[in-house]
Amino acid sequence: MELLVVRDRRIDYDGSAIRSHWAYRNFGILGNSLVVFRGRCNVRVEEMIDIEDLRAKKEIRSDDMVHYIVEVFDVPNVLLASALQKLFVARLCEVLGEYGIKTSRKGDDIYVNGKKLSISIATVSPVSIKIHIGINVEAKGIPEGIEATGLRELGINDVEEFMERTGRALVEEFEKVKRDSLKVRWAG
Amino acid sequence: MELLVVRDRRIDYDGSAIRSHWAYRNFGILGNSLVVFRGRCNVRVEEMIDIEDLRAKKEIRSDDMVHYIVEVFDVPNVLLASALQKLFVARLCEVLGEYGIKTSRKGDDIYVNGKKLSISIATVSPVSIKIHIGINVEAKGIPEGIEATGLRELGINDVEEFMERTGRALVEEFEKVKRDSLKVRWAG
Amino acid sequence: MELLVVRDRRIDYDGSAIRSHWAYRNFGILGNSLVVFRGRCNVRVEEMIDIEDLRAKKEIRSDDMVHYIVEVFDVPNVLLASALQKLFVARLCEVLGEYGIKTSRKGDDIYVNGKKLSISIATVSPVSIKIHIGINVEAKGIPEGIEATGLRELGINDVEEFMERTGRALVEEFEKVKRDSLKVRWAG
Amino acid sequence: MELLVVRDRRIDYDGSAIRSHWAYRNFGILGNSLVVFRGRCNVRVEEMIDIEDLRAKKEIRSDDMVHYIVEVFDVPNVLLASALQKLFVARLCEVLGEYGIKTSRKGDDIYVNGKKLSISIATVSPVSIKIHIGINVEAKGIPEGIEATGLRELGINDVEEFMERTGRALVEEFEKVKRDSLKVRWAG
Amino acid sequence: MELLVVRDRRIDYDGSAIRSHWAYRNFGILGNSLVVFRGRCNVRVEEMIDIEDLRAKKEIRSDDMVHYIVEVFDVPNVLLASALQKLFVARLCEVLGEYGIKTSRKGDDIYVNGKKLSISIATVSPVSIKIHIGINVEAKGIPEGIEATGLRELGINDVEEFMERTGRALVEEFEKVKRDSLKVRWAG
Amino acid sequence: MELLVVRDRRIDYDGSAIRSHWAYRNFGILGNSLVVFRGRCNVRVEEMIDIEDLRAKKEIRSDDMVHYIVEVFDVPNVLLASALQKLFVARLCEVLGEYGIKTSRKGDDIYVNGKKLSISIATVSPVSIKIHIGINVEAKGIPEGIEATGLRELGINDVEEFMERTGRALVEEFEKVKRDSLKVRWAG
């Protein structure tokens, strides 16, 4: 899994990055990839993936987020998409723990002291698994009624270092998952 | 995913429980399942799944362990097996955190203060995913050269309650993974 | 497989219900489902699934039908879609037999005394199998040149009871198929 | 699907025909096949596929049966195996109906007047789907406690004609399933 | 795999033939197929499959080409699509060798004396593998900057005979691939 | 795909190298691999993969061969196994062409002047694709009735250089197949 941390510019997330080959089309990265970038979040209705959100006409917004876009081509299966997503979110919680932040994970959501830190979605295209995770840098521009928090509120001010560190952690996690899948004989 | 916590008796783990349909053959449980039980661990060479262990002629033993045997029939794929395994181990760490124990996860291994608490393997049969996780109750009967710890050393004495609580946590995690995989539209 | 029999209102079938997640979008039903409803049938050309019909510019219409929409997420494969469809149609024939009606099945079509009682299509989306079966309540509004019949002509006047009974029969059939698939060891 | 009706000799069924490539090994038939033959049935414990039977230590025997061995290489999936099996059994009931025999199908079992006419199993090998259906020619040599019937009791004396006719009916059913799976566009 | 060599008319290739079921929609051919035809080539941007070409805003054109459109429904997997494509291109080189032409294959491209003779793309739809190969009849109308050659330049003037001969060769190659896949037992 | 050319010793091929994870068990190579080695060939009956050979009780022997063992974990499908095998054999013919040797390929067999140069088999394990190709160094120890040839007869005396060069060519071919499969958008 190739890692790209976009440092030199902001990229806003409107949901279209969830489509297949986004990393290849935009950055020329072939195959499994994780692109980490920073920017606004405002998901257009026609790009919404979670039908629960669509049915509830939820808004998905934040003024400043760290975004993770994962694409895995090996097995375009929704159950693997959903399992990898939870594992990546759990790994992010572990890294936040290294920063001294105590998190509570509920499936694919990260909470700190009851406040929502992140959003996430996982799905498939006909050729790949796609996962988006977004972590608030500041809890601004969040839809009403959601108590949110952000990295700054939690004392993480070097956002770029956080992007780098979490990016490496997620790629290492995936590589471990992949490697272990290759070193076991099948059971009868 | 059906949960069975075996409370009334000990079951030793010799590796054969990793085969497909073990839960159905032994307990009549059909479909996805998690069986939690307690007993010795001594994996026979012919049941070893990790070829790295086989090559190194490692011993896999412990006098007293809590064992988790997972079987998932949906998609018999090694990458999903490996991802689910890491997610389950991460979830166990989170539950240990609720007990006030600070863990460090390295892939599918749990460490506390640099001491190994657990073993695990994940693979496929031609019809299912199989995962075994074992957690030392006491660090006895461990192969030489491994610094190990156990639940008792960490202050968890009500092993049955631990089996129950972790069993429920893992089943809920899987159900969340499954449910989320069904509520997302596919991406283009 | 969850069963929903829509009793309180009519729903017209224009072909769009064949898309993935229709039951979740419209009724909040997650996972495998069968929705039984009653209404007109008039399939819009852009929703036609059978390319043979498209090539022949066939019309697919009926003024009053009982509709069955099946979605199965387990294995989005066209051969399974087509096999399940034929099995469901065969099961409907068996239930009609319990009403004393002698049917003749030709693949996915039901005939009574040489007259067409039903229409059906089975396909896949990138995440699921989708099947539509429609049974005429009355042979009205049928395209010219087709000799058709309907439930009323065959003496079945309690349409709601028929919807209920057939709905349960199809769900039971699927559950049996699923359950049996889990209790067999693999062959060498 | 190639059809072979073995007319010139009896073949006893001990369960080993359920393994992959049986038709190719024994008759040189490559690819999807249905072999219909006649002979005793006495399934050896080590060849039993149904773990429910294994757990109950059931005997599976009959002195004289028509046997159908199906192998389908397209998609080695247990759900498709189980769905095709039920469809084939439903089709056999329809053909029996053409002989004037009123059957009652329960999943993969055929009953006539409450008496069991058939046995069946469906599973996968790592490369194919395998289905066995056996129909009693006479209800002799059946395990105690099972009320059984056979073709002769039902007035079907030309067993060879029955083998031919049902063989053709099952192959036609499969070909229809396959053909229909190829003529539909995918849904969104 | 059914072969159709279109002799009675020219068909221009604008890229839309790469969609699923093109052969069934246009020629009524069900299942795996190879359609060989002759015509211009000018791929519209919205039909471009190779994202590398899209990113580079390449033009894909030629005034006169022999086109091969392959569709294989068995396993809609991109790796198989890409492997079959290379095999078909290698087979075309072998046939050109029978004409006395020495080719050099680079992946899916055919060169003669350093000049490009062909273009090709392979991908999947949600239900099938699709491959396009185009061979210049004359090196006219080729995008600037590409040194190209064509069948006529190489001394092949009976284009129809070439279409016939290569069409048969590719179908035979696929049938051999398929047949061999059915006659091997699985390995442990 | 990792390449290992075994230069320091001979390894005899008895057929057991066709099993899954052979490269990992013996050389510690994880994931997709090609191992090239040299040694006798004498396939034990219980290791024979081609059921046609088994049925004909063929002998598979040669006193001195270059062996290629490929393992691909991505998609354990027999059609891909068989397609990759033909592509690899075609590639070997192209490399032999670079040596000035004119070959004739028939599926997975290489002939030179009507004499057989090679043997090959392709199959799957439950987790991978496995391919064996063997090329005679000298036509000695070949079963009676087969007209064979070998590298030495064809003027290739530097066998080690041949192993190296063909090994690199096959790995490059696979990498091209893989890379191209990742850079194409899916078709509708």
Side-chain angles (χ1 to χ4, degrees):
Chain A
M1 179 173 279
E2 195 173 328
L3 172 64
L4 174 69
V5 180
V6 181
R7 270 185 221 78
D8 54 345
R9 57 180 167 123
R10 300 281 170 110
I11 300 173
D12 292 337
Y13 181 76
D14 65 359
S16 59
I18 207 69
R19 294 191 197 154
S20 61
H21 290 106
W22 175 80
Y24 184 51
R25 282 174 193 265
N26 288 276
F27 305 101
I29 303 174
L30 211 56
N32 297 342
S33 66
L34 168 59
V35 181
V36 187
F37 57 96
R38 188 173 167 186
R40 274 177 180 284
C41 176
N42 197 351
V43 181
R44 285 183 292 146
V45 172
E46 64 268 30
E47 302 287 359
M48 281 192 185
I49 293 295
D50 189 326
I51 301 169
E52 202 176 337
D53 294 348
L54 271 171
R55 297 182 77 218
K57 290 181 190 174
K58 261 198 209 166
E59 282 180 302
I60 304 176
R61 300 192 263 107
S62 177
D63 280 359
D64 191 0
M65 273 190 150
V66 175
H67 299 279
Y68 306 82
I69 290 284
V70 176
E71 184 158 25
V72 173
F73 287 89
D74 303 70
V75 187
N77 173 273
V78 283
L79 199 66
L80 178 55
S82 182
L84 276 177
Q85 176 202 33
K86 270 76 184 172
L87 177 59
F88 285 162
V89 171
R91 187 78 194 98
L92 287 173
C93 288
E94 292 170 350
V95 178
L96 286 162
E98 295 168 14
Y99 278 93
I101 297 163
K102 210 176 134 80
T103 59
S104 155
R105 181 176 66 87
K106 290 182 188 161
D108 56 350
D109 284 328
I110 307 174
Y111 290 86
V112 182
N113 294 324
K115 292 181 178 169
K116 205 161 182 283
L117 178 64
S118 68
I119 58 170
S120 183
I121 199 68
T123 191
V124 293
S125 79
V127 291
S128 61
I129 280 172
K130 292 287 315 232
I131 301 171
H132 171 249
I133 304 172
I135 293 186
N136 295 319
V137 174
E138 282 178 288
K140 288 190 179 158
I142 310 289
E144 259 178 73
I146 297 173
E147 270 220 275
T149 189
L151 293 176
R152 288 213 197 288
E153 286 91 327
L154 301 172
I156 297 177
N157 289 299
D158 189 341
V159 176
E160 211 162 277
E161 195 262 338
F162 179 81
M163 290 164 70
E164 191 75 50
R165 186 165 164 182
T166 48
R168 275 201 313 268
L170 296 189
V171 167
E172 276 161 26
E173 190 70 40
F174 181 79
E175 293 304 329
K176 175 75 174 143
V177 165
K178 178 87 185 178
R179 213 163 45 238
D180 284 2
S181 78
L182 293 169
K183 67 167 196 173
V184 285
R185 68 168 185 82
W186 58 278
Chain B
M1 178 173 279
E2 194 172 330
L3 172 65
L4 174 68
V5 181
V6 181
R7 270 184 222 78
D8 54 344
R9 59 183 166 118
R10 299 280 171 111
I11 300 173
D12 292 337
Y13 181 76
D14 65 359
S16 59
I18 207 69
R19 294 192 198 155
S20 60
H21 290 107
W22 175 81
Y24 184 52
R25 282 173 194 266
N26 288 277
F27 305 102
I29 302 174
L30 212 57
N32 297 343
S33 65
L34 168 60
V35 181
V36 188
F37 57 95
R38 188 174 168 185
R40 276 178 179 282
C41 176
N42 198 350
V43 181
R44 286 183 293 145
V45 172
E46 64 269 30
E47 303 287 358
M48 281 191 185
I49 293 296
D50 190 327
I51 301 169
E52 201 176 338
D53 294 348
L54 271 171
R55 297 181 78 218
K57 289 180 191 175
K58 262 198 207 164
E59 283 180 302
I60 304 176
R61 313 191 250 104
S62 176
D63 281 359
D64 190 0
M65 273 191 149
V66 174
H67 299 279
Y68 306 82
I69 290 284
V70 176
E71 184 157 25
V72 173
F73 287 89
D74 303 68
V75 186
N77 173 273
V78 283
L79 199 66
L80 177 55
S82 182
L84 275 177
Q85 176 202 35
K86 271 76 184 173
L87 177 59
F88 285 162
V89 171
R91 187 78 194 100
L92 287 173
C93 288
E94 292 171 348
V95 177
L96 285 163
E98 295 168 14
Y99 277 93
I101 296 163
K102 210 176 134 80
T103 59
S104 154
R105 180 176 67 87
K106 291 182 186 159
D108 56 350
D109 283 329
I110 307 174
Y111 291 85
V112 182
N113 294 324
K115 292 180 179 169
K116 204 162 183 282
L117 179 63
S118 69
I119 57 171
S120 183
I121 198 70
T123 191
V124 293
S125 79
V127 291
S128 61
I129 280 171
K130 293 287 316 233
I131 301 171
H132 171 250
I133 304 171
I135 293 186
N136 294 321
V137 174
E138 281 179 288
K140 288 190 180 160
I142 309 290
E144 258 179 75
I146 297 173
E147 269 219 275
T149 188
L151 294 175
R152 289 213 197 287
E153 286 90 329
L154 301 172
I156 297 178
N157 288 301
D158 189 342
V159 176
E160 211 163 276
E161 194 263 339
F162 179 81
M163 290 164 70
E164 190 75 50
R165 186 166 164 181
T166 49
R168 275 201 313 268
L170 295 188
V171 167
E172 276 161 26
E173 190 70 40
F174 181 79
E175 293 304 331
K176 175 75 174 143
V177 166
K178 179 87 185 177
R179 213 163 46 238
D180 283 2
S181 77
L182 293 169
K183 66 165 196 173
V184 285
R185 68 169 185 80
W186 58 277
Chain C
M1 178 172 280
E2 195 173 329
L3 172 65
L4 173 69
V5 181
V6 181
R7 270 184 221 80
D8 54 344
R9 58 183 167 120
R10 300 281 170 110
I11 301 173
D12 292 337
Y13 181 76
D14 66 359
S16 59
I18 208 69
R19 294 192 197 155
S20 61
H21 290 108
W22 175 81
Y24 184 52
R25 283 174 193 264
N26 289 277
F27 305 102
I29 302 174
L30 212 57
N32 297 343
S33 65
L34 168 60
V35 181
V36 188
F37 57 97
R38 188 174 167 184
R40 275 178 179 283
C41 176
N42 198 350
V43 181
R44 286 183 293 147
V45 171
E46 64 270 29
E47 302 287 359
M48 280 192 186
I49 293 295
D50 189 327
I51 301 169
E52 201 176 338
D53 294 348
L54 271 170
R55 297 182 78 218
K57 291 182 189 173
K58 262 198 208 166
E59 282 180 302
I60 304 175
R61 307 191 256 107
S62 176
D63 280 359
D64 190 359
M65 273 190 150
V66 174
H67 299 279
Y68 306 82
I69 290 285
V70 176
E71 183 157 24
V72 173
F73 287 88
D74 303 69
V75 186
N77 173 272
V78 283
L79 199 65
L80 177 55
S82 181
L84 275 177
Q85 176 202 34
K86 269 76 184 173
L87 177 59
F88 285 162
V89 171
R91 187 78 194 100
L92 288 173
C93 289
E94 292 170 349
V95 177
L96 286 162
E98 295 168 15
Y99 279 92
I101 297 164
K102 211 176 135 78
T103 59
S104 155
R105 181 175 67 87
K106 290 181 187 162
D108 55 350
D109 285 327
I110 307 174
Y111 290 85
V112 182
N113 293 324
K115 291 181 178 169
K116 205 162 182 282
L117 178 64
S118 69
I119 58 171
S120 183
I121 198 69
T123 190
V124 293
S125 79
V127 291
S128 61
I129 280 171
K130 292 287 317 232
I131 302 171
H132 171 250
I133 305 171
I135 294 186
N136 296 319
V137 174
E138 280 178 289
K140 288 190 180 159
I142 309 290
E144 259 179 75
I146 298 174
E147 268 219 278
T149 187
L151 293 176
R152 289 217 197 286
E153 286 91 327
L154 301 172
I156 297 178
N157 288 300
D158 189 340
V159 176
E160 211 163 274
E161 196 262 339
F162 179 81
M163 289 164 71
E164 190 75 51
R165 186 164 166 184
T166 49
R168 276 202 314 268
L170 296 188
V171 167
E172 276 162 26
E173 190 71 38
F174 181 79
E175 293 305 329
K176 175 76 174 142
V177 165
K178 179 86 184 178
R179 213 162 45 237
D180 283 3
S181 78
L182 294 169
K183 66 166 196 172
V184 284
R185 69 169 185 79
W186 58 278
Chain D
M1 179 172 279
E2 195 173 329
L3 172 65
L4 174 68
V5 181
V6 181
R7 270 185 220 79
D8 54 345
R9 57 180 168 123
R10 299 280 170 110
I11 300 173
D12 291 337
Y13 181 75
D14 65 359
S16 59
I18 207 69
R19 293 192 198 154
S20 60
H21 290 107
W22 175 81
Y24 184 52
R25 282 174 194 265
N26 289 277
F27 304 101
I29 302 174
L30 211 57
N32 298 342
S33 65
L34 168 59
V35 181
V36 188
F37 57 96
R38 188 173 167 185
R40 275 178 178 284
C41 177
N42 198 350
V43 181
R44 286 182 292 146
V45 172
E46 65 269 28
E47 301 287 359
M48 280 192 186
I49 292 295
D50 190 327
I51 301 170
E52 201 176 339
D53 294 347
L54 271 170
R55 297 183 77 217
K57 290 182 190 172
K58 261 198 209 165
E59 282 180 302
I60 305 176
R61 298 193 264 109
S62 177
D63 281 359
D64 190 0
M65 272 190 150
V66 175
H67 299 279
Y68 306 82
I69 290 284
V70 176
E71 183 157 26
V72 173
F73 287 88
D74 304 68
V75 187
N77 173 273
V78 283
L79 199 65
L80 178 54
S82 182
L84 275 178
Q85 176 202 34
K86 270 75 183 173
L87 178 59
F88 285 162
V89 171
R91 187 78 194 99
L92 288 173
C93 288
E94 292 170 348
V95 177
L96 286 163
E98 296 168 13
Y99 279 92
I101 297 164
K102 210 177 134 77
T103 60
S104 153
R105 181 176 66 89
K106 291 181 187 162
D108 56 348
D109 283 328
I110 307 174
Y111 290 86
V112 181
N113 295 322
K115 291 181 179 170
K116 205 163 183 281
L117 178 65
S118 69
I119 58 172
S120 183
I121 198 70
T123 191
V124 292
S125 79
V127 290
S128 61
I129 281 171
K130 292 288 316 233
I131 302 171
H132 171 250
I133 304 171
I135 294 186
N136 295 320
V137 174
E138 282 178 289
K140 287 189 181 161
I142 310 289
E144 259 178 75
I146 297 173
E147 270 219 276
T149 188
L151 293 176
R152 290 214 196 288
E153 286 91 328
L154 302 172
I156 297 178
N157 289 300
D158 189 342
V159 175
E160 210 163 277
E161 195 262 339
F162 179 81
M163 290 165 71
E164 190 76 49
R165 186 165 165 182
T166 49
R168 275 201 314 267
L170 296 188
V171 167
E172 276 162 26
E173 189 70 39
F174 181 79
E175 292 305 330
K176 176 75 174 142
V177 165
K178 179 86 185 176
R179 213 162 47 237
D180 283 2
S181 77
L182 293 169
K183 66 167 196 172
V184 284
R185 68 169 185 81
W186 57 278
Chain E
M1 177 172 281
E2 195 173 329
L3 172 65
L4 174 69
V5 181
V6 181
R7 269 185 221 78
D8 53 345
R9 57 180 167 121
R10 299 279 170 110
I11 300 173
D12 291 337
Y13 181 75
D14 65 359
S16 59
I18 207 68
R19 294 191 197 154
S20 60
H21 290 108
W22 175 81
Y24 184 52
R25 282 174 194 265
N26 288 277
F27 305 101
I29 303 174
L30 211 58
N32 297 342
S33 65
L34 167 60
V35 181
V36 188
F37 57 96
R38 188 173 167 185
R40 275 179 178 283
C41 176
N42 198 350
V43 180
R44 286 183 292 146
V45 172
E46 64 269 29
E47 302 287 359
M48 281 193 186
I49 292 294
D50 189 326
I51 301 170
E52 201 176 336
D53 293 348
L54 271 170
R55 297 183 77 217
K57 291 182 189 171
K58 262 197 208 167
E59 283 179 301
I60 304 175
R61 306 192 256 107
S62 177
D63 281 359
D64 190 0
M65 274 190 148
V66 174
H67 299 279
Y68 306 81
I69 290 285
V70 176
E71 184 158 25
V72 172
F73 287 88
D74 303 69
V75 187
N77 173 273
V78 283
L79 199 65
L80 178 55
S82 181
L84 276 177
Q85 176 203 34
K86 271 76 183 173
L87 178 59
F88 285 162
V89 171
R91 187 77 194 99
L92 287 174
C93 288
E94 292 170 349
V95 177
L96 286 163
E98 296 168 14
Y99 278 93
I101 297 164
K102 209 176 136 78
T103 60
S104 154
R105 181 176 66 88
K106 291 181 187 161
D108 56 349
D109 283 328
I110 307 174
Y111 290 86
V112 181
N113 295 321
K115 293 181 179 169
K116 204 161 183 282
L117 178 64
S118 69
I119 58 171
S120 183
I121 197 70
T123 190
V124 292
S125 79
V127 291
S128 61
I129 281 172
K130 292 287 316 233
I131 301 171
H132 171 249
I133 305 171
I135 293 186
N136 296 319
V137 174
E138 280 178 289
K140 288 191 181 159
I142 309 290
E144 259 177 75
I146 297 173
E147 269 219 276
T149 188
L151 294 175
R152 289 215 196 288
E153 286 91 328
L154 302 172
I156 297 178
N157 289 299
D158 189 342
V159 176
E160 211 164 275
E161 194 263 339
F162 180 81
M163 291 164 70
E164 190 75 51
R165 186 164 164 183
T166 50
R168 276 200 313 268
L170 296 188
V171 167
E172 276 161 26
E173 190 70 39
F174 181 79
E175 292 305 329
K176 175 75 174 143
V177 166
K178 178 86 184 177
R179 213 161 48 238
D180 283 2
S181 77
L182 294 169
K183 67 167 196 172
V184 284
R185 69 168 184 81
W186 58 278
Chain F
M1 178 172 280
E2 195 172 330
L3 172 64
L4 174 68
V5 180
V6 181
R7 270 185 220 80
D8 54 343
R9 58 182 166 120
R10 299 281 170 110
I11 300 173
D12 292 337
Y13 181 76
D14 66 359
S16 59
I18 207 69
R19 294 192 197 154
S20 60
H21 290 108
W22 175 81
Y24 184 52
R25 282 174 194 265
N26 288 276
F27 305 101
I29 302 174
L30 212 56
N32 297 344
S33 66
L34 168 60
V35 181
V36 187
F37 56 96
R38 187 174 167 184
R40 277 178 178 283
C41 176
N42 197 350
V43 181
R44 286 182 293 145
V45 172
E46 64 270 29
E47 302 286 0
M48 281 192 186
I49 293 295
D50 189 328
I51 301 170
E52 200 176 338
D53 294 348
L54 271 170
R55 297 182 78 217
K57 290 183 188 171
K58 263 198 206 165
E59 282 180 302
I60 304 176
R61 299 191 263 107
S62 177
D63 281 359
D64 191 0
M65 273 191 150
V66 175
H67 299 279
Y68 306 81
I69 290 285
V70 177
E71 183 158 25
V72 173
F73 287 89
D74 303 68
V75 186
N77 173 272
V78 283
L79 200 65
L80 177 55
S82 181
L84 275 178
Q85 176 202 34
K86 269 77 184 172
L87 177 59
F88 285 162
V89 171
R91 187 79 194 100
L92 288 173
C93 288
E94 292 170 348
V95 177
L96 286 163
E98 295 168 14
Y99 278 93
I101 297 164
K102 210 176 135 79
T103 59
S104 153
R105 181 176 67 88
K106 291 182 187 160
D108 56 349
D109 284 328
I110 307 174
Y111 290 86
V112 182
N113 294 324
K115 291 180 179 169
K116 206 164 183 281
L117 178 64
S118 68
I119 58 171
S120 183
I121 197 71
T123 189
V124 292
S125 79
V127 291
S128 60
I129 280 171
K130 292 288 316 233
I131 301 171
H132 171 250
I133 304 171
I135 293 186
N136 295 320
V137 174
E138 282 178 288
K140 288 191 180 160
I142 310 290
E144 260 179 73
I146 298 173
E147 268 219 277
T149 187
L151 293 175
R152 288 213 197 290
E153 287 91 329
L154 301 173
I156 298 177
N157 289 301
D158 189 341
V159 176
E160 212 164 274
E161 196 262 339
F162 180 81
M163 290 164 71
E164 192 74 50
R165 184 165 167 182
T166 48
R168 275 202 314 268
L170 296 189
V171 167
E172 276 161 26
E173 190 71 38
F174 181 79
E175 293 305 330
K176 175 75 174 142
V177 166
K178 178 87 184 177
R179 213 163 45 238
D180 283 2
S181 77
L182 293 169
K183 65 165 196 174
V184 284
R185 69 168 184 80
W186 58 278

